[in-house]
Amino acid sequence: MIINSLTVTDYRNIDYIKINPSDGVNIIFGENAQGKTNLLESIWMFTGCKSFRTKKDSELLGFEKEYAKNEIEFFAHGRQQTAQLVIDKKRTAFKNGIELKSPAELIGEFYAVIFSPSHLSLIQDGPVFRRGFLDTALCQLKPNYAKGLARYRHTLEQRNALLKDIQYHSELYDTLDVWDEKLSSYGAAVVYERILYSKQLSEHANIIYSGISDGREELTVDYVNNTGLYIEDPYEIKNFLKEKLRQNRREDIFNKITGIGPQRDDLDIKINGLSARKFGSQGQMRSCALALKLSEANIIKEMTDEEPVILLDDVMSELDIKRQDYILNHISGRQVFITCCDPATVLRMCEGKTFHIEKGCLV
Ligand SMILES: Nc1ncnc2c1ncn2[C@@H]1O[C@H](COP(=O)(O)OP(=O)(O)OP(=O)(O)O)[C@@H](O)[C@H]1O
Ligand SMILES: [Mg+2]
């Protein structure tokens, strides 16, 4: 996956930028608030997924602009291609000049992995960040996962609304059977994919982490859920979830919310058998986040035979020399976009094409 040309027009604070990136390292530098992350985000949007910074497409449009228009020429799946995204209140995507039914149809056409300092939350903060990580990774790899997840969330909202109503209308109790059937079926599809992905993640991340820690430490990643489920067969997962929902009904009605299911699950990340979140040092947590992100890229390559474009937003300054070195060695052979304030930090370690950005324009 190589971007040969990127054109960004009226996107966030960027009026117009056109670049012909190198196949290797590209360094986007400039002072704070000049548009570096905006430019990376504009690349990410070609994955067909939502932005990593906002769920609202309308925020991507430059203030007081009518529409944004971004375009890439890229080499993927053995041929030269183009993709366009037009953004006003919503996104409209085109591939090779043909309008797609939805921007999600770009999923699988263009792959990228984004790594920013906020990814430390993956280790440090609550389960919502780890579920988000799994969901973003899976949505990019499997368009059906995104659809299944949306279906699950919608059904969950409906069941939760029902739980609120039951206290006033006890006759509604019997309708829970229908919702539990649906919810366990959609939920099982989500849990199943997450379990499989977590296994791959654990294998890759352990190898990478071992490299970063000179083989001294072992990293394990396990998918955990609040029901104690450890099976890997989608049909059995469904029956298990359904039974748990049934058992938990009284509590759910009392709390007016569904307490069982993938919306409560988490990744258990351990270093040498100890929780990275509870016992990890700052350095260990950084290495863990790095290992997970590099694993995400490796899994894309393994499953699709395409190298994802790597987007490193401001991470180099956060990492010590050894980790910077590790990251640069392990992304060689991939096209990389690195944002930073001072290009010298990166240029000291590798060759790269540089782009200086100021007030949303190249200088
Ligand atoms: N929709 C929008 N229209 C116009 N400007 C916007 C829009 N969204 C964000 N901006 C502006 O874009 C500017 C640059 O943002 P960006 O996050 O790309 O900066 P940056 O160069 O990455 O800075 P830093 O080094 O601090 O991370 C911000 O000042 C922000 O106010
Ligand atoms: Mg930034």
Side-chain angles (χ1 to χ4, degrees):
M1 189 110 343
I2 301 285
I3 298 177
N4 311 112
S5 147
L6 165 72
T7 313
V8 180
T9 316
D10 292 344
Y11 182 86
R12 292 211 190 249
N13 78 329
I14 300 172
D15 284 337
Y16 178 79
I17 285 183
K18 182 172 168 52
I19 60 174
N20 295 108
S22 111
D23 292 0
V25 176
N26 296 279
I27 302 163
I28 299 159
F29 71 98
E31 292 181 10
N32 294 131
Q34 301 304 306
K36 302 183 295 295
T37 304
N38 292 346
L39 195 63
L40 278 201
E41 185 190 38
S42 76
I43 298 175
W44 168 263
M45 295 310 296
F46 287 104
T47 59
C49 302
K50 288 273 183 184
S51 161
F52 50 88
R53 294 200 293 182
T54 176
K55 297 266 173 288
K56 289 189 193 148
D57 292 339
S58 57
E59 286 180 15
L60 306 172
L61 175 62
F63 299 146
E64 292 163 21
K65 299 288 165 68
E66 221 171 301
Y67 59 89
K69 190 173 175 197
N70 301 345
E71 181 167 340
I72 51 171
E73 290 170 22
F74 65 113
F75 187 84
H77 306 289
R79 65 203 169 101
Q80 200 59 38
Q81 312 202 46
T82 63
Q84 288 96 14
L85 267 180
V86 177
I87 304 165
D88 40 41
K89 286 191 179 64
K90 57 176 181 46
R91 291 170 294 155
T92 309
F94 299 79
K95 195 183 79 145
N96 300 325
I98 295 165
E99 183 174 343
L100 304 177
K101 277 198 219 109
S102 126
E105 285 191 12
L106 281 175
I107 295 177
E109 303 296 339
F110 176 82
Y111 296 106
V113 170
I114 166 91
F115 184 26
S116 75
S118 68
H119 284 108
L120 254 189
S121 297
L122 262 176
I123 317 296
Q124 278 176 339
D125 294 332
V128 67
F129 292 95
R130 289 178 286 282
R131 286 195 296 269
F133 168 69
L134 287 176
D135 290 341
T136 308
L138 277 163
C139 283
Q140 196 176 178
L141 276 174
K142 302 190 170 185
N144 280 340
Y145 180 84
K147 284 185 199 147
L149 186 64
R151 216 163 34 190
Y152 178 78
R153 285 180 177 154
H154 184 62
T155 312
L156 181 65
E157 271 173 30
Q158 288 172 306
R159 187 180 189 269
N160 286 341
L162 178 65
L163 291 171
K164 288 192 186 87
D165 286 348
I166 282 179
Q167 56 177 328
Y168 307 112
H169 305 280
S170 55
E171 72 279 8
L172 289 174
Y173 187 88
D174 289 343
T175 61
L176 267 176
D177 281 344
V178 180
W179 292 109
D180 289 5
E181 173 69 26
K182 272 191 180 186
L183 199 65
S184 53
S185 170
Y186 299 157
V190 172
V191 171
Y192 175 65
E193 292 295 351
R194 286 188 186 166
I195 289 177
L196 293 190
Y197 189 82
S198 304
K199 285 195 154 221
Q200 280 176 293
L201 196 62
S202 192
E203 280 167 26
H204 283 275
N206 187 29
I207 295 168
I208 294 168
Y209 192 86
S210 165
I212 305 175
S213 65
D214 294 328
R216 286 192 302 264
E217 294 173 355
E218 195 190 23
L219 177 70
T220 54
V221 182
D222 288 301
Y223 188 72
V224 286
N225 57 62
N226 63 354
T227 55
L229 168 88
Y230 287 106
I231 37 183
E232 287 176 33
D233 174 80
Y235 186 69
E236 279 186 54
I237 297 174
K238 186 210 149 173
N239 287 337
F240 187 90
L241 283 178
K242 196 168 145 190
E243 181 54 23
K244 286 285 171 187
L245 282 170
R246 206 186 54 76
Q247 286 172 6
N248 216 45
R249 273 184 190 179
R250 192 189 287 258
E251 210 175 311
D252 281 356
I253 292 170
F254 180 77
N255 293 326
K256 303 185 197 72
I257 195 151
T258 306
I260 295 293
Q263 75 281 10
R264 294 291 175 99
D265 295 351
D266 198 358
L267 277 179
D268 190 12
I269 303 167
K270 289 198 178 106
I271 300 165
N272 288 343
L274 289 175
S275 158
R277 170 145 95 121
K278 291 186 191 144
F279 302 106
S281 70
Q282 284 293 325
Q284 283 174 319
M285 289 194 209
R286 279 183 217 285
S287 300
C288 274
L290 184 58
L292 291 180
K293 279 290 159 181
L294 290 175
S295 300
E296 186 185 343
N298 287 355
I299 295 171
I300 290 177
K301 167 69 180 155
E302 190 172 273
M303 291 184 67
T304 69
D305 209 25
E306 290 286 334
E307 288 288 8
V309 168
I310 308 287
L311 309 171
L312 301 178
D313 190 16
D314 225 4
V315 285
M316 295 317 250
S317 56
E318 292 269 317
L319 300 172
D320 59 26
I321 300 281
K322 197 171 140 217
R323 290 190 187 90
Q324 286 182 5
D325 211 15
Y326 190 89
I327 210 170
L328 289 169
N329 279 330
H330 281 77
I331 51 182
S332 66
R334 289 171 175 160
Q335 188 177 40
V336 193
F337 293 82
I338 301 177
T339 67
C340 55
C341 290
D342 176 12
T345 344
V346 184
L347 285 170
R348 226 179 287 132
M349 317 203 64
C350 66
E351 283 180 19
K353 211 165 170 177
T354 55
F355 302 96
H356 185 182
I357 181 164
E358 204 175 279
K359 292 190 185 140
C361 296
L362 284 185
V363 287

